[in-house]
Amino acid sequence: MLDRIKSILKDPADLTMETMDNGYTRMELCFFPSMCDLKEIKDGILIPFSYRFDPDEFRRMLNSDLCFIEAGKPEEWGNMLLKGCALLEYEGKVFCYAAIRKMQDKPADTEVEASLQGPQSAFTEDLDLNTYLLRLRYNSPTLQAEKLEKGELSNTRIMIFYDRNLVDEPSLEELRKKLKNIEMKLVQASGQLGMYMGGSRFSMFPITLKTERPDRIAQLIQRGKVALLVDGSRFAIALPVRFFDFMHAMDDDYEPFWMGRLIIAFRYIGMLLSMTLPSLYISISSYNPEFFRVQLAFSVDGSRAAVPYPSFIEVFIMLFMIEALIEASIRLPRFVGSTAATVGGLILGQAAQQAGLVSSIMIIVTSVVAISNFVIPNSSFSYSIRAMKYIFVVASIFYGMVGVIITMFLVVVYLCNLRSFGQPYLSLFKQGEEQRRARRGAESS
Amino acid sequence: MRKIGLLIAIFALLSGCGIKDIDKRFFVVTTGIDWTGNPEKPYRVSLRLAITSSKLESGSSKTEIISTDAASLAEGVRHLKSYVDKELDFGHCRTFIMGKQLLEHGNLNAMSWFARRRDIQRVANFAVGEPDALSILRVQPISERYPGNALFLTFNREGTESPYIVSIPLFDFTRRHFEMGLDPVLPIIRTAESTYIVDRVLLLDKNNMRLALDPAETQLYNMTANRIDKSELVMPARGRDGRIVMTVSQIRTKIRISHAEVPQITMTVKLRGMLEESPPNQLGENWKEIERQLGQQFSDRMEALLEKIRDAGVDPYGFGLHYLATYFGGKEDFKHWQSVYPNVKFKVVAEVKVTGPGVVR
């Protein structure tokens, strides 16, 4: 066996290949120490083979223990080793022992989608643990799982989960078709997969939902969606999704009804503000000042008196600053992160206005835009809104108020046109239908 | 990519030249139009311009007044643009004042300039300046926080809510000017030192002024025509010193016009309110009697006012329009109405309800 492996893997330095002799008989053992749990190898193979050796028992163990799988095909050996299995040849038969090193053994804490009073556990970067988390929350015999591998070089394991009574069949078919067509060398993150899979890398809005919360995935599966778990990524993908799913935080379901609705309403207002406020500032202060109340018009007029550039340049200056600040605080290491916020806050808040570079109203506009963008619960959706804002700004530079209104209309048209795995993106009444289907599913099962 | 670039280039070409930053605009806060008496250039157009600052304090408002004589309003305003360094913007001009002499000589049809301009808001208020518009513009109220605010607050009921103030926005003024059976009215602004006094109303026919009401009549007109509450009913207390004053908190008016040869107009007015002032010991007595007396007094005064208005030949209440609307009137009916209007009879029924004596017991 060892010669065969040598010919496949060309004897890498981190591969251990041993021929072991315990005095009675010999065994060939081969594994990657870095990828295997050494303690398991010791407990599972070395101890029974060395000082507890009993030929009958050892043979029985190899044949009946669930951890040992007979590996008859030599061409699979390389992949098995690379997945973290140990291979052993005993009495002419080759066995594979799954002693994969696990980095995580407990669920992670939510980091991106924090919840105040909901569950605090999140998916990890280990697929098996993620499967456990999902099965734990969706403990039903109807939960169906499919397994596949993607990526020529990464050989990433992917699991597809859905409830077989509730799932939307056409979407599932489309997903399978799209997965089949994907040819990637490396699958590193679920987002990457989601992007390729959507067939819409240039879409302005995300059409698959990424989440790190097992409770959200369980809820989506219950609503007939399909979930994809990717090994090595702590984000699961759910599809098909609608516009409104992105504005939903799990806390909405855990808080009293009316408070939840109120917060959702604020979230939509925040989204609209974050998208349109800079463009409204341009169009009102450069095209239609009669839109303001007279007090505000006069104070904008007064505060803009020192500003040398037209309003859209002012807007671009401030928007660039705030985007740079947000980007910097995401990428910076935690230790220096607060420095960026302090420096940025000082510059944005005071100095820019005192230097006469921007008006004081613009500072308020900028901060409202930034803060209300953070209100959006889903980060990929909030990226979309951040980008949409610039389309509005450009429209308002050329056409003023009319431009903003027409762009808004165009955005709605675009959203109506968008499809997420065959389902309309902006369908208002899908949810009711899903709930009816869920009820039907519960009755039939 | 090339297509997108081309599209952007086309969009850029399409844009108009409308972009003008707010700090490059001069906001007109009050416009005044006077009669010069010169037949060549009959109109004197005066604009009160706001000088803005980012700090707003009481009395900090600064304005600039520019004025020119012209043959028409449009020419005057265009000429005035050459007096200033920024673009004139009428978007926040919410008060237009016409000199009294203009209404005596001028032709209201020439005023269509207001209704045609896109940037003049339809909610801008119209008024008459006494003695002329320019002198009203020159007043600088001490309390004014930002330019032109005092007149905005006076007319749009955001600030003071006086029963003497009649507000006529542009849309209403135009409607009254063109509508059959409804005539324009205008509040009269007078000045006293550094404040405005607005307590009278001027009734016009389609072209000229006809009748100016005194403050008490103005209040009555405003109560019945515009249902302005926060007004008052007053009468001397019978047999005692002092007066009985009732504040009206709710007022309902209903007009019915009979279909007789000479129609009779019945106006039913329902008033509710509390006694704000009354002689001592009055409260224990019969309120019904007070209500009856107040109502009687109100309807007597109202009938006198309506007859006065009728005799002046104007119809600010829109009785004519009401008549046409009730009886499917056409042009013939309107002619008939015009011929009989000087003879119509008025009956005012006042139902007064006193809800209480206020918070005293």
Side-chain angles (χ1 to χ4, degrees), chain A residues 285-286 289 292-293 295 310, chain B residues 20-22 25 92 146 158:
Chain A
S285 70
S286 293
F292 286 133
R293 295 210 69 173
Q295 292 94 321
Chain B
K20 175 110 8 194
D21 276 323
I22 195 166
R25 295 176 195 239
H92 280 298
Y146 55 89
E158 212 177 281

Side-chain angles (χ1 to χ4, degrees), chain A residues 282 284-312 360 396-399, chain B residues 8 10-12 14-16 18-25 27 29 50 52-54 56 89 91-92 94 118-119 121 146-147 149 152 156 158:
Chain A
I282 294 177
I284 293 180
S285 70
S286 293
Y287 282 92
N288 306 84
E290 60 268 20
F291 250 76
F292 286 133
R293 295 210 69 173
V294 60
Q295 292 94 321
L296 190 56
F298 287 172
S299 83
V300 172
D301 189 351
S303 75
R304 264 198 57 81
V307 181
Y309 294 112
S311 58
F312 61 91
S360 44
S396 76
I397 292 172
F398 291 124
Y399 307 110
Chain B
I8 288 175
I10 291 173
F11 284 171
L14 277 176
S15 70
I19 190 160
K20 175 110 8 194
D21 276 323
I22 195 166
D23 48 325
K24 308 287 185 300
R25 295 176 195 239
F27 288 104
V29 287
T52 55
S53 72
S54 52
L56 296 177
D89 190 313
H92 280 298
R94 300 263 296 278
R118 172 187 70 92
D119 56 344
Q121 298 198 20
Y146 55 89
N149 191 27
F152 295 166
N156 65 9
E158 212 177 281

Side-chain angles (χ1 to χ4, degrees), chain A residues 88-157:
Chain A
L88 57 104
E89 186 176 354
Y90 182 73
E91 293 178 341
K93 274 199 236 168
V94 176
F95 293 92
C96 156
Y97 178 66
I100 304 162
R101 185 199 285 265
K102 295 278 178 210
M103 283 186 295
Q104 274 106 356
D105 51 359
K106 55 177 180 288
D109 289 331
T110 51
E111 275 172 18
V112 186
E113 293 167 85
S115 153
L116 220 50
Q117 293 192 321
Q120 303 291 335
S121 57
F123 284 131
T124 62
E125 297 192 352
D126 179 50
L127 182 60
D128 298 314
L129 188 55
N130 289 353
T131 310
Y132 157 74
L133 283 172
L134 183 57
R135 285 256 180 219
L136 183 75
R137 298 216 176 260
Y138 202 89
N139 204 331
S140 153
T142 52
L143 183 66
Q144 191 81 14
E146 287 173 20
K147 209 171 180 179
L148 64 154
E149 280 184 10
K150 273 289 156 195
E152 265 175 59
L153 299 176
S154 59
N155 272 333
T156 314
R157 291 186 296 155

Side-chain angles (χ1 to χ4, degrees), chain B residues 271-283:
Chain B
L271 301 131
R272 282 167 70 89
M274 59 150 203
L275 289 182
E276 208 173 44
E277 225 175 277
S278 60
N281 306 327
Q282 186 94 48
L283 296 179

Side-chain angles (χ1 to χ4, degrees), chain B residues 155-181:
Chain B
F155 285 113
N156 65 9
R157 307 198 77 78
E158 212 177 281
T160 177
E161 286 184 58
S162 159
Y164 295 102
I165 298 173
V166 176
S167 4
I168 296 294
L170 175 57
F171 70 86
D172 197 20
F173 189 59
T174 349
R175 183 175 77 107
R176 285 168 179 270
H177 181 64
F178 290 109
E179 187 67 271
M180 289 197 291

